[in-house]
Amino acid sequence: MKEEKHYKTLFKATSLFGLVEVLRLLLKIITNWAASNFLGTKGFGLVGLIENTVQLISSFSSLGINFTGVREIAANKTNDIEFYKTIKAVSQFSLLTGILSAIISIIFASRLSLETFKTTEYFYWFIALSIYFVATSYTQSKIIYLEGSQNFQKLVRINIFVNVLNSIIVLAAYYFFNTQGIIVAMIINSLVALIFYTKLSNIPKTKVILTTADRREYFKKFIKSGSLLALNTFIGLLCFLIIRKYFVDINEEILSFYNAGNLIIVSYLGIIFIAMGKFFFPKLSQSIKNQKISNQLINNQLELSLLIILPAIVLIYTFSDFFIKILFSSAFLPVYDILIFGLISIVFRSFNYAVGYLLLSHQNFRQYFYINAVSDILNTVLTIVFYEKWGLIGIGFSIFINYLFSSIYIYYYTNKKYSFKISNFVKKQFVITFIVISLIISSNFLFNKMYFTIISVIFFIISAVYSIKKVDEYILDFKVSNKFKSLF
């Protein structure tokens, strides 16, 4: 019964946050359309540049509080004194990191403008963004509380409302203020999010006071663990810049294909991993002291991930041209060469996410840092070497090899350190998934487009029926099967 309960709660949470991410994606498409039409080509480029710079400052200054904060809150029992102290500490630390980001933005405004836009004329944008940094960081503390205490229904409701309202503000700001509207929208949206999350998150009021010693202890813990996570982010961004610079020197079109391929593999199909992090990570942190339950929870998550991933991957293989044209344009059809091997990497990425959270739940930030740092560096080297050898296909192959090696090491380490084991059934699922995708990849090289499509459609139908059958068994108590049988 416990196993069934894990399936149901995991599936429910993944579905909830998956829908939120789909909505966020649709709203992003609309705001991108607004940016390209209201701001023009140059203005659209400014949006991307300012967002990248802001993310770099925020991710580095926040010191990974979004992970450490969730873990600390989830690890404590609700209504316990330590629980309330942790909430206050996370709130104060988040505000402090926001102020730090604001100070960096103000002091280095001219330099940031020069590095981002090749001119200092936008320096006042970064001064104005100091408001954004403080508001966003403080809002993050409310989100951390909702995630850590697993109040997901409230988090989803607020998230949907704020995202829709933010999109409306972006459309209005771009229309009325043109390029100046980029900063106007970011500041107004940060304040709107702060107001609604503060009012609706209902963080319990308590008379518990943090002493100077308490504050020092919590902040030291956050900084010690978070500094490695922040350094991870920096290394990841640096490696991306190296790849970007390499492709720009060769051909800017190749960079566009690389970005589009990453968008499909990481962003669009990565929705499930974002949803996984919202519920699975705090749930795992809560049960980490019971090895049997935590192992079972990870195996349940892996199985559900594979049930969702396999049909999605096969569907993209089958109708790749259609999806690429819809998401980008016919000029981006060469991106499929990246997807040939790149899509199979998602299978191993699902493993890395589920089992990797075991390290964070045990607060093993050092090992988590090493794995991600080595992975980022290896990805950079393999991408350049394999592109030189095989072109766009080599880029996808490098992504696959990188995630494969990471999975092997993560399993070896967690098995030795935490006695984690993959269940026999999940092992079979991994093998079947790998064989199915390998057969599709082989068909791509062996047959023409028509026969390849027929083979892919057959595999999609089989994988979709199997996934629906399993979801019906685990989640719906055979309601679909019984309804189908009653028809005959």
Side-chain angles (χ1 to χ4, degrees):
M1 292 299 291
K2 282 185 179 179
E3 187 170 318
E4 185 179 349
K5 186 179 179 182
H6 287 325
Y7 282 125
K8 288 184 177 181
T9 53
L10 287 168
F11 185 80
K12 183 179 179 182
T14 302
S15 301
L16 272 173
F17 287 107
L19 288 172
V20 172
E21 292 306 315
V22 169
L23 175 63
R24 194 199 302 270
L25 181 62
L26 292 173
L27 292 173
K28 186 67 176 176
I29 291 172
I30 294 171
T31 54
N32 282 344
W33 173 87
S36 61
N37 282 272
F38 297 154
L39 308 182
T41 307
K42 183 181 178 182
F44 184 74
L46 288 177
V47 174
L49 287 170
I50 193 68
E51 284 181 348
N52 287 344
T53 305
V54 165
Q55 287 169 3
L56 179 60
I57 296 171
S58 296
S59 60
F60 193 77
S61 301
S62 66
L63 294 171
I65 188 62
N66 54 319
F67 278 107
T68 53
V70 169
R71 195 267 169 205
E72 290 299 317
I73 291 174
N76 289 298
K77 292 181 179 179
T78 308
N79 297 325
D80 189 51
I81 294 177
E82 197 64 32
F83 177 76
Y84 292 117
K85 281 188 175 183
T86 304
I87 293 171
K88 280 201 169 187
V90 168
S91 182
Q92 292 177 14
F93 189 81
S94 296
L95 181 60
L96 190 64
T97 60
I99 294 170
L100 176 62
S101 297
I103 292 171
I104 291 172
S105 190
I106 292 170
I107 292 176
F108 299 102
S110 294
R111 187 66 189 177
L112 288 168
S113 176
L114 184 63
E115 291 295 327
T116 306
F117 306 113
K118 309 303 179 187
T119 174
T120 58
E121 67 176 280
Y122 295 103
F123 77 94
Y124 62 94
W125 280 21
F126 290 98
I127 294 174
L129 280 172
S130 58
I131 300 170
Y132 166 88
F133 285 119
V134 175
T136 301
S137 293
Y138 199 55
T139 300
Q140 185 62 38
S141 68
K142 317 300 179 188
I143 297 172
I144 290 169
Y145 161 73
L146 292 172
E147 289 183 12
S149 59
Q150 298 182 55
N151 197 339
F152 300 114
Q153 290 188 344
K154 184 170 289 185
L155 177 61
V156 167
R157 284 199 298 268
I158 301 173
N159 209 322
I160 291 172
F161 184 76
V162 169
N163 272 289
V164 172
L165 195 57
N166 283 356
S167 297
I168 295 171
I169 292 169
V170 167
L171 293 174
Y174 288 176
Y175 181 79
F176 289 108
F177 300 104
N178 202 264
T179 53
Q180 302 291 331
I182 299 171
I183 301 301
V184 172
M186 290 180 72
I187 293 173
I188 293 176
N189 279 340
S190 68
L191 295 173
V192 166
L194 176 61
I195 291 169
F196 282 101
Y197 271 103
T198 301
K199 291 289 184 182
L200 302 178
S201 59
N202 293 331
I203 295 178
K205 297 186 187 303
T206 174
K207 294 182 179 180
V208 172
I209 298 173
L210 278 181
T211 64
T212 303
D214 289 332
R215 198 174 290 109
R216 188 184 298 114
E217 182 183 345
Y218 277 109
F219 285 15
K220 185 180 178 180
K221 186 189 296 182
F222 294 153
I223 292 170
K224 184 180 178 181
S225 55
S227 58
L228 288 175
L229 295 175
L231 188 56
N232 258 153
T233 302
F234 178 78
I235 292 172
L237 288 168
L238 181 62
C239 288
F240 173 75
L241 287 174
I242 292 171
I243 295 173
R244 186 175 181 273
K245 180 69 168 63
Y246 168 75
F247 285 134
V248 165
D249 291 341
I250 295 175
N251 188 337
E252 288 189 3
E253 192 176 59
I254 301 299
L255 175 62
S256 297
F257 295 154
Y258 173 76
N259 288 338
N262 263 326
L263 202 60
I264 294 172
I265 296 169
V266 177
S267 298
Y268 297 151
L269 285 174
I271 286 174
I272 184 176
F273 304 121
I274 297 172
M276 186 193 299
K278 298 293 184 183
F279 173 81
F280 175 68
F281 175 48
K283 185 73 175 176
L284 184 62
S285 297
Q286 238 179 17
S287 61
I288 204 65
K289 292 178 181 178
N290 190 317
Q291 183 183 312
K292 184 179 178 180
I293 293 177
S294 62
N295 276 7
Q296 185 185 82
L297 189 64
I298 294 172
N299 276 289
N300 290 168
Q301 180 65 67
L302 285 171
E303 188 178 348
L304 283 177
S305 297
L306 291 173
L307 288 175
I308 297 169
I309 287 169
L310 181 56
I313 291 175
V314 178
L315 186 67
I316 291 179
Y317 273 121
T318 308
F319 302 106
S320 57
D321 288 359
F322 172 76
F323 286 123
I324 291 171
K325 287 177 182 177
I326 290 294
L327 294 173
F328 307 103
S329 70
S330 56
F332 282 80
L333 287 176
V335 169
Y336 177 69
D337 286 345
I338 297 176
L339 300 181
I340 291 172
F341 286 103
L343 287 173
I344 197 172
S345 69
I346 298 168
V347 176
F348 298 99
R349 189 177 175 219
S350 69
F351 180 88
N352 292 351
Y353 260 75
V355 183
Y357 278 129
L358 190 60
L359 300 173
L360 290 177
S361 297
H362 279 285
Q363 300 187 69
N364 193 343
F365 298 105
R366 186 179 297 276
Q367 189 61 224
Y368 186 83
F369 165 77
Y370 289 146
I371 291 172
N372 281 280
V374 171
S375 179
D376 285 331
I377 295 169
L378 182 63
N379 180 58
T380 305
V381 174
L382 292 179
T383 298
I384 294 172
V385 172
F386 286 2
Y387 174 77
E388 290 284 349
K389 193 171 181 63
W390 296 300
L392 292 177
I393 290 177
I395 295 175
F397 193 60
S398 70
I399 298 171
F400 160 59
I401 293 296
N402 185 39
Y403 279 119
L404 174 62
F405 284 173
S406 296
S407 296
I408 293 171
Y409 179 76
I410 287 173
Y411 183 63
Y412 169 79
Y413 182 85
T414 53
N415 177 258
K416 292 291 183 183
K417 181 76 174 178
Y418 306 116
S419 301
F420 169 72
K421 292 181 180 179
I422 306 177
S423 69
N424 290 329
F425 186 75
V426 173
K427 283 179 183 177
K428 289 177 183 177
Q429 267 202 305
F430 265 109
V431 172
I432 291 170
T433 302
F434 187 76
I435 290 173
V436 168
I437 298 176
S438 296
L439 288 172
I440 292 175
I441 293 173
S442 300
S443 300
N444 177 80
F445 293 106
L446 294 173
F447 303 105
N448 62 31
K449 187 69 175 177
M450 184 183 73
Y451 285 115
F452 171 74
T453 302
I454 293 171
I455 293 169
S456 298
V457 168
I458 292 171
F459 276 122
F460 171 70
I461 293 171
I462 294 171
S463 62
V465 169
Y466 177 77
S467 294
I468 291 169
K469 184 180 177 182
K470 282 297 179 183
V471 169
D472 182 40
E473 177 185 343
Y474 297 150
I475 317 300
L476 304 175
D477 300 321
F478 297 101
K479 288 180 182 178
V480 175
S481 299
N482 292 334
K483 186 69 175 177
F484 185 77
K485 288 176 183 178
S486 68
L487 294 175
F488 298 95

